[in-house]
Amino acid sequence: MPACRANVIIVEDDMGLNRAVARLLNIAGFRSRSFDSAEGLLESDSAPGADCFVFDIHLPGITGVELHDRLDAAGIHRPVIFITAHDDQHTRHAARAGASYLTKPFTGQALIQAIDAALIPPP
């Protein structure tokens, strides 16, 4: 069995997409853990063990951007891939410069490439 490429945490409230992304990542050699809300992730002890996050921007309750800010304030600095079905100027601005951003529907290859690129250490 190949070694795990990285630990990726997914926070997506659409459970069908959540499961599909987790399956894709597992097939691609990543270890993944899924949550259907930002609150669920924050209540767990999983965030410090992540190498990368995949956050839906428009989560009910705490949004993906707010979740990223809370983790950052807690000293958990990991790359994040924001995903959204709402591709507009406000959403793109919310995703911030430096963060990857994918619009739903996206291909599995696009997500894997975004995660791989996010995991490359800066020069």
Side-chain angles (χ1 to χ4, degrees):
M1 183 165 179
C4 173
R5 292 168 69 179
N7 293 317
V8 180
I9 290 182
I10 306 153
V11 183
E12 167 61 62
D13 62 316
D14 177 328
M15 289 313 295
L17 180 58
N18 193 318
R19 285 188 297 271
V21 169
R23 269 193 309 269
L24 170 72
L25 295 181
N26 290 335
I27 289 168
F30 294 97
R31 181 176 300 130
S32 68
R33 179 136 189 228
S34 298
F35 297 88
D36 63 359
S37 70
E39 292 83 356
L41 173 59
L42 292 172
E43 291 169 4
S44 77
D45 62 351
S46 299
D51 296 308
C52 183
F53 296 109
V54 176
F55 293 157
D56 185 359
I57 289 178
H58 296 283
L59 295 166
I62 298 170
T63 70
V65 173
E66 292 168 335
L67 175 59
H68 179 260
D69 291 346
R70 287 185 185 202
L71 293 174
D72 197 51
I76 302 170
H77 310 291
R78 307 290 188 280
V80 62
I81 314 305
F82 286 112
I83 59 176
T84 186
H86 306 283
D87 186 23
D88 57 32
Q89 185 173 4
H90 179 269
T91 300
R92 285 189 295 273
H93 177 72
R96 296 183 172 73
S100 294
Y101 175 90
L102 295 175
T103 303
K104 300 173 191 175
F106 48 84
T107 66
Q109 181 180 6
L111 180 59
I112 298 299
Q113 288 174 339
I115 292 170
D116 283 340
L119 292 171
I120 297 172

